Amino acid sequence: DTGVSQDPRHKITKRGQNVTFRCDPISEHNRLYWYRQTLGQGPEFLTYFQNEAQLEKSRLLSDRFSAERPKGSFSTLEIQRTEQGDSAMYLCASNGQGGTIGETQYFGPGTRLLVL
Amino acid sequence: DAKTTQPTSMDCAEGRAANLPCNHSTISGNEYVYWYRQIHSQGPQYIIHGLKNNETNEMASLIITEDRKSSTLILPHATLRDTAVYYCIVSAQGGSEKLVFGKGTKLTVNP
C-alpha cells in the first residue's frame, strides 16, 4: 500500500488554460474526496465520490470545475479557463467502506497549482 | 464554517509535552472530535479521534472534557518533526463525510 498519490505535484499554467489533475486513492478505498487549500487557510471541501458516483459538490466547485471517477478507481479534477484565483493546493483523500463512523481520511501530497 | 476554535500559534521545547487546546462548545452528542496535522507542503495526516472518552495511540493522547465542549491534544515528547499546523475538527459521520477544517494551530517545536 503506497498511500494516496497525486499527479502532477506542481503545475504552472497561464490564465485561460485548462488543467487536469489526477488522484489515485488507496486501492481498496471506495470513497474519494477533493479539497482545495489556499495559503494560510485550512483545506476546503470541493466534492466527493463513492465508487463512481459523485455524491456531493461544494458551491466552491464552479462551472469551470469538473471531477470524474469513471471506474470507481482513480479520479480527475479538471479546471477550465483557469483564473489567478484558482492558484491553490488541490488535495485528494480517500477512505474505505463509507458509512463507518470514525473512519479516517487519508490524504495525498497534493497538487500545487500556480496560475500566471 | 468550522465548529472549532484553536489558538493561532504555539511554541514548545523539544522533548517537552505539547498541549494543544480546542474549543468546540456547540458540539452535538453524536459528533466526534478529530485531530489532523499538516507538515509544510504535505497533505494532512490523521492523528487521533474520540467521542467521549480519552484516547491514546502511538502518536498522541486526546483528552475530552466531561461536557465535551473542549479537548486537548497532547504530544508527550515533542520533536522538531512535530512542527506543523494542527487541525481540530468535529464531525458527526467521521471520515464518511466532508471534513470542515479551520485555520488550525501552528505548533513550532524549538530545539
Side-chain angles (χ1 to χ4, degrees):
Chain A
D1 179 3
T2 58
V4 178
S5 62
Q6 293 187 246
D7 184 69
R9 295 291 309 278
H10 302 274
K11 179 71 176 179
I12 300 174
T13 191
K14 294 182 179 179
R15 186 163 50 102
Q17 298 294 305
N18 299 342
V19 294
T20 300
F21 310 139
R22 176 177 169 128
C23 170
D24 286 88
I26 293 171
S27 58
E28 65 269 24
H29 285 178
N30 62 8
R31 289 170 78 92
L32 185 149
Y33 308 76
W34 284 99
Y35 293 82
R36 182 177 71 181
Q37 186 174 25
T38 54
L39 201 61
Q41 305 295 316
E44 296 174 289
F45 170 78
L46 291 178
T47 187
Y48 86 88
F49 294 83
Q50 179 156 324
N51 299 312
E52 65 275 9
Q54 189 173 16
L55 297 186
E56 185 176 349
K57 293 194 292 185
S58 162
R59 63 180 184 276
L60 294 175
L61 213 65
S62 75
D63 291 344
R64 297 184 298 105
F65 288 70
S66 63
E68 294 183 344
R69 195 182 183 200
K71 297 183 179 180
S73 56
F74 72 91
S75 176
T76 58
L77 178 68
E78 180 183 16
I79 309 174
Q80 296 182 329
R81 304 181 304 281
T82 53
E83 302 173 355
Q84 289 181 327
D86 297 330
S87 296
M89 172 84 87
Y90 290 84
L91 292 159
C92 177
S94 72
N95 62 7
Q97 298 171 358
T100 302
I101 299 206
E103 189 172 355
T104 64
Q105 293 182 19
Y106 295 87
F107 283 80
T111 294
R112 187 172 296 281
L113 172 67
L114 177 61
V115 182
L116 301 175
Chain B
D1 291 346
K3 296 182 178 181
T4 61
T5 304
Q6 300 177 253
T8 302
S9 63
M10 295 183 65
D11 286 276
C12 177
E14 188 177 20
R16 304 296 295 268
N19 297 286
L20 291 88
C22 179
N23 287 321
H24 31 80
S25 59
T26 61
I27 192 170
S28 300
N30 64 342
E31 288 182 316
Y32 286 70
V33 179
Y34 279 77
W35 285 83
Y36 281 75
R37 73 180 183 183
Q38 189 171 25
I39 296 169
H40 183 61
S41 295
Q42 297 182 21
Q45 176 191 23
Y46 166 79
I47 302 173
I48 199 168
H49 74 278
L51 182 62
K52 296 181 182 178
N53 300 321
N54 299 337
E55 303 287 344
T56 295
N57 63 20
E58 64 279 5
M59 290 182 68
S61 294
L62 173 60
I63 308 298
I64 302 174
T65 58
E66 192 170 347
D67 63 7
R68 301 186 70 238
K69 292 185 176 182
S70 66
S71 61
T72 301
L73 179 74
I74 301 172
L75 308 178
H77 305 287
T79 70
L80 299 180
R81 288 178 292 181
D82 292 321
T83 293
V85 178
Y86 288 76
Y87 296 100
C88 171
I89 300 166
V90 297
S91 173
Q93 294 295 324
S96 301
E97 65 172 7
K98 62 189 178 190
L99 297 175
V100 180
F101 291 80
K103 293 187 177 182
T105 296
K106 168 67 176 180
L107 174 69
T108 302
V109 181
N110 300 304

